[in-house]
Amino acid sequence: MSTIEIQKCLNKNIKNIKNSFHDTSDLIVRKMKADFEGSFEIDVVYLDGIIDLDLIQEHVIKPLLEPFKTVGFNESPIDQILERIIETADVKTTAQYKELTDAIVQGNTVLLINGYQKGIIIPSPKWAERSIEASIGERSARGPQIGLTEKLKTNINLIRSSLKTPDLCVETIEVGSISPTSASILYLDGIVDNGILKEVKKRLKSLPVKYVLSERVLEDVLEGKPKSFFPRVRHSERIDGVVSSLFEGRVVVIVDGYPFAIIAPALFVDFIQAPDDYHISMGRSANRIMRFIALLLGVYLPGVYIATANFHKDDLSNNISKAIISKDELLPTFWEISILLFLIKMLVDVSFRLPKSAVILVSLIGTIVIGETAVTAKLIHPVSLIVVGITALSSFLGANRGLVGADATLRISFLLISNFLGFNGIIIATTVLIIYMVSLKSIGVPYLSPLIPFKIQELKDVFYREDLQKLINSKHTYTEDND
């Protein structure tokens, strides 16, 4: 189909198009005759329900039905239609069937003229979309509140409304061989790191998939191999977050149908930052340090508690040991923590799956079962419940920033290591973890940059947010290693 050309016979062309769409009932063929010093048979083809009928009626069909005299002797009817009759802002021609069918699927209207081996494509999509709303997943007390939507063109419109410069470049590609999905690569010319841009384009254009039902498939190819539980690209549904990333020399990928922007590269330090850091004066360092400590608590706290209970209970005073270590409870400390973490995870998953009206009831049941009843029945120790509660709160903070996978994987790993090897195992595992993180790269950029390798000029926006004027006027650079 990709190499088949349009034929001169209009009926054959229409038959081929209908066969391509398997005679679907919403494929509309509007037959008409245009008066160009004679009579030309023209068929208007489109998919009902996804085009702007008013636009086609007023600016295509109505002008074609009016009498029209040819002006140029060497101009074909197609050229005259393009130049003098069709009143839409954008229009193009093609001689390939594949381009015609792709255009119809994407909400365009196609004009075919009997006796001519070209088709006219008129952009006329009218997709259903929700209204522009505030960002839900990245809420901020101050600053812009508008979030991205599912429509690609709407998102680019929102970004351009905040980033008014001709240096903003948008390169749109089609991903998927059966059902193509548009994806736009955004960057600022003169600011973007050219090595990163080249690598992003290379990876996206080499993606061999039939369709895209989730932007995760693009994230996977951008993260590259080997796979890791640490995210090496990040999401943002905030306009200011996307614009800020572009000014930092990063590349942004937006997929049609998904209200999130994919930002690359993504470094570990990016996940302890939040939109509030750039819109309020207080907490420029305290908030980021708090998030980093919360990340450590979510990973290490259950393991440290189990290591203390299994290997260092005798090193504590009797009062402290009796207060924090299980004694008369039915379950050992390891199983207390493991079961509680499992139940918390189950409650979180249930809260996202059930109707909103049932969430309160589930929360109440969970509180009774996990909390008061389990402690009263001496199934679990109260301190175990406190440890798991702090761990859950800390992990929620990391999950909101995109570290849910890394947080859960590391917590379970340290839980098992501490149960068998104690603090020695935790120290060894931490050393291995740091070495592993040093080896990770995001689009060729070291994952722990600017800490490892150390770049003092880039520390102005890591654990401490420097003065905004200095940040705005400074240039970000990345240590690259694409080999």
Side-chain angles (χ1 to χ4, degrees), residues 20-234:
S20 298
F21 284 87
H22 308 287
D23 290 318
T24 178
S25 60
D26 57 347
L27 179 69
I28 307 300
V29 179
R30 166 71 157 88
K31 294 186 175 293
M32 55 188 297
K33 289 187 177 181
D35 186 8
F36 298 128
E37 295 184 347
S39 180
F40 290 90
E41 293 184 15
I42 298 178
D43 281 357
V44 182
V45 187
Y46 58 88
L47 283 175
D48 191 24
I50 66 172
I51 73 161
D52 189 339
L53 285 175
D54 293 335
L55 181 148
I56 296 302
Q57 176 66 31
E58 291 296 321
H59 301 290
V60 178
I61 295 178
K62 188 175 180 180
L64 284 173
L65 292 176
E66 295 179 355
F68 183 81
K69 292 184 178 181
T70 57
V71 176
F73 292 101
N74 297 324
E75 288 185 308
S76 68
I78 288 183
D79 294 330
Q80 305 233 9
I81 289 174
L82 292 176
E83 296 174 7
R84 297 184 176 88
I85 299 179
I86 295 178
E87 300 174 354
T88 57
D90 188 19
V91 64
K92 68 176 184 178
T93 62
T94 183
Q96 301 295 327
Y97 269 118
K98 183 67 167 60
E99 291 187 28
L100 284 184
T101 55
D102 288 347
I104 294 172
V105 168
Q106 293 169 4
N108 299 309
T109 299
V110 168
L111 266 64
L112 293 171
I113 303 176
N114 191 31
Y116 294 89
Q117 291 182 281
K118 279 187 177 181
I120 301 175
I121 299 175
I122 304 169
S124 57
K126 189 177 182 181
W127 303 104
E129 63 176 305
R130 64 182 172 93
S131 60
I132 297 174
E133 300 173 354
S135 172
I136 299 176
E138 296 179 275
R139 292 184 296 173
S140 175
R142 294 183 60 182
Q145 302 297 319
I146 295 178
L148 298 174
T149 72
E150 284 78 8
K151 299 309 298 177
L152 179 61
K153 289 186 177 181
T154 302
N155 292 333
I156 294 176
N157 176 288
L158 293 172
I159 293 171
R160 285 199 178 275
S161 68
S162 297
L163 192 55
K164 300 178 178 67
T165 171
D167 293 330
L168 175 60
C169 301
V170 180
E171 182 176 336
T172 302
I173 62 175
E174 298 293 329
V175 182
S177 58
I178 294 179
S179 175
T181 299
S182 298
S184 290
I185 304 171
L186 282 68
Y187 58 92
L188 279 176
D189 187 45
I191 296 179
V192 67
D193 188 292
N194 290 322
I196 293 172
L197 176 61
K198 182 179 179 181
E199 186 65 19
V200 168
K201 289 183 179 181
K202 177 183 175 182
R203 296 186 184 186
L204 288 180
K205 291 180 179 179
S206 64
L207 180 60
V209 293
K210 296 180 180 179
Y211 51 85
V212 176
L213 289 182
S214 171
E215 80 281 2
R216 183 65 224 176
V217 66
L218 275 75
E219 295 174 25
D220 286 340
V221 73
L222 287 176
E223 289 183 337
K225 295 180 179 180
K227 298 299 181 183
S228 173
F229 48 82
F230 280 102
R232 286 172 288 169
V233 296
R234 64 185 178 92

Side-chain angles (χ1 to χ4, degrees), residues 351-416:
S351 66
F352 282 106
R353 307 289 178 252
L354 289 179
K356 291 182 179 180
S357 57
V359 171
I360 297 178
L361 177 61
V362 171
S363 301
L364 179 61
I365 295 174
T367 302
I368 295 173
V369 173
I370 297 178
E372 182 179 354
T373 304
V375 173
T376 304
K378 290 191 175 182
L379 296 175
I380 60 174
H381 195 279
V383 175
S384 296
L385 193 60
I386 295 173
V387 168
V388 171
I390 296 174
T391 301
L393 290 175
S394 302
S395 64
F396 289 153
L397 189 59
N400 188 51
R401 302 302 305 151
L403 291 173
V404 58
D407 184 83
T409 302
L410 292 175
R411 180 164 55 251
I412 294 173
S413 300
F414 280 102
L415 194 70
L416 295 171

